[in-house]
Amino acid sequence: MQKLDGKKVAILVANGFEQSEMTEPRKALQDAGATPYLVSPESGRVRGWTGGNWGDEFEIDLPLAEANPSDYDALMLPGGLLNPDRLRANDAAVKFVRTFFEQKKPVAAICHAPWLLAEADVLNGRTVTSYRSIRKDLENAGANWVDKEVVVDQGLVTSRSPNDLPAFNRKLVEEVGEGRHAGQAVSV
């Protein structure tokens, strides 16, 4: 297993994130030695979504307004339907995501989370996967969409659903361990 001692990973969430898509990658990062931080535009606590209902509440580590992408080695974006839809409508969240690409840092997004990548305008020419229902949105943002459990494109890790979490988590840890990727940059 890759050792990520000393690595810090931001996990950007709003209320309604798919709970397993946050908790399982967070545990994989912790198990590898990284320190994950829940960052959110919400204050205090955020609530997951699981099995078609509201899930558990989680304490955020840092408000988005106080978070600086330069303080983190990578970014992880859980999906769900509500979470990425709320985040892509938040200018500060979109800027936060885009800055990780500008700094060539690894970014991982699962399920509906690539919606946020489309909003950040970082998908042109990239090969990605996602939950099937947002395929056209990602293609319209310039992505090459493929139906695979996990896709890695120059530090960008994407997966389709909670069923893909084992493969997603392996590649997330691997890419965080590799660090910056020259191909991750976007035009500014």
Side-chain angles (χ1 to χ4, degrees):
M1 175 187 271
Q2 182 106 24
K3 288 311 251 174
L4 302 180
D5 295 339
K7 299 281 187 178
K8 295 168 37 175
V9 180
I11 301 175
L12 182 61
V13 294
N15 284 312
F17 58 90
E18 179 62 41
Q19 191 163 309
S20 65
E21 293 174 359
M22 185 281 284
T23 58
E24 291 184 34
R26 179 172 72 171
K27 183 177 183 327
L29 290 165
Q30 289 170 327
D31 289 349
T35 304
Y37 294 85
L38 281 184
V39 175
S40 180
E42 314 291 341
S43 59
R45 300 176 77 72
V46 288
R47 196 160 192 192
W49 187 263
T50 183
N53 294 298
W54 287 105
D56 297 328
E57 287 190 352
F58 299 86
E59 192 76 31
I60 66 163
D61 296 305
L62 195 64
L64 178 61
E66 297 174 20
N68 182 345
S70 296
D71 294 338
Y72 302 98
D73 298 291
L75 174 65
M76 204 287 289
L77 302 169
L81 185 59
L82 302 173
N83 171 60
D85 196 43
R86 288 177 171 157
L87 290 173
R88 70 184 178 149
N90 181 306
D91 291 340
V94 172
K95 182 178 180 191
F96 188 76
V97 170
R98 186 171 173 81
T99 301
F100 279 87
F101 285 85
E102 292 167 353
Q103 294 178 358
K104 303 176 176 75
K105 294 179 180 178
V107 174
I110 187 168
C111 192
H112 287 77
W115 257 346
L116 189 51
L117 304 178
E119 191 67 31
D121 198 22
V122 296
L123 292 179
N124 193 36
R126 304 301 289 270
T127 300
V128 299
T129 194
S130 68
Y131 197 75
R132 184 177 299 277
S133 68
I134 66 168
R135 174 185 180 171
K136 285 294 178 198
D137 295 330
L138 303 184
E139 289 175 340
N140 288 339
N144 172 36
W145 189 92
V146 295
D147 187 12
K148 293 184 178 178
E149 70 177 353
V150 66
V151 174
V152 180
D153 183 339
Q154 294 290 318
L156 174 60
V157 179
T158 53
S159 278
R160 301 171 299 193
S161 74
N163 295 335
D164 300 327
L165 279 166
F168 179 75
N169 291 342
R170 281 191 301 277
K171 288 300 183 179
L172 165 64
V173 168
E174 181 181 315
E175 293 302 304
V176 172
E178 288 180 8
R180 294 176 191 252
H181 289 72
Q184 185 71 313
V186 295
S187 57
V188 292

